[in-house]
Structures are given as C-alpha cells and as structure tokens.
Amino acid sequence: PPFEPIGGGGTTFGDVGMAVFSALWAYDGWNGLNYIVGALRDPARTLPRCVAHGMSCVIGAILVVNVAFLLVLPPDVVASDKAVALTTATEVFGSSAIYGMAAATGGRMRKDVWIVPYVATAV
C-alpha cells in the first residue's frame, strides 16, 4: 500500500487529504498577513516586529493551555484523550462547555468573514 502507518492499519487517500486540509487551515493566517501588509506604513520595520510578537504570544498561549490541561486532568488522560480541550472544559465548566468550544471555533471562522471587507476597502 502507498501509505502504511507505523501502528499498523491502513491510511486512505481521504485520510491524507484531511491531513493536508488541516495543515492548510492551520497556516491560513499567512494568507491574511499578505493582504494586511499592504496597509503598513513601514513594513520592513513593522512586519518582523509583528511576527515576533505574534509568535511569542502564540507560544506563550500554547504553554499556558498545556499547563492548564495538566493541572485539571491527570497525565494519563491527557495522553490518551482525543479531545483534551473539550474534556478539560467539561471538567471546569460542566456539560455546557461544548457550547463554548463551538463559539471558539466560530470565532476563528469570523476572521475569514471580516478580512474580505477590510481588504476590499483598503484597495
């Protein structure tokens, strides 16, 4: 087979397609950056600062979230759970946490909705 994972089993082309789609979704912010950089006054100075500060904030947030996971859940649950964020939110906020997770996902999609009018008015 063309795709044979280490743990055995088979991987379909659909699995590979979903992995590519997920990676493109994760790197989608760079697309927005290309549109917004045209509005910067001094991009040679401002853009590296923005990228450094943004990456620092993201790395810090990831570290804080992972520490929160380990403070709320035992390490063996964190290692074996497929939805650690939802499990942690359910432990902290109760069964209504799923609505908060849906709202957080919707907030990410809001960027795609609002970037188009911004670019259209800036052009």
Side-chain angles (χ1 to χ4, degrees):
F3 307 107
E4 187 64 37
I6 293 174
T11 302
T12 65
F13 284 106
D15 294 336
V16 174
M18 183 55 85
V20 169
F21 179 76
S22 299
L24 291 175
W25 181 275
Y27 288 109
D28 187 49
W30 291 104
N31 186 28
L33 177 70
N34 290 330
Y35 292 121
I36 293 172
V37 77
L40 294 176
R41 290 190 184 143
D42 185 9
R45 190 186 104 219
T46 309
L47 185 60
R49 287 182 182 180
C50 291
V51 170
H53 288 21
M55 291 297 292
S56 299
C57 289
V58 168
I59 290 169
I62 289 171
L63 290 174
V64 167
V65 167
N66 280 304
V67 167
F69 289 161
L70 292 172
L71 288 174
V72 173
L73 299 173
D76 59 329
V77 173
V78 172
S80 63
D81 197 355
K82 292 188 179 205
V84 179
L86 183 59
T87 305
T88 304
T90 304
E91 284 288 322
V92 174
F93 301 112
S95 62
S96 63
I98 193 164
Y99 299 112
M101 297 299 287
T105 304
R108 161 48 186 98
M109 292 174 18
R110 182 179 63 116
K111 187 270 303 180
D112 292 333
V113 172
W114 287 103
I115 193 74
V116 173
Y118 174 78
V119 171
T121 58
V123 173

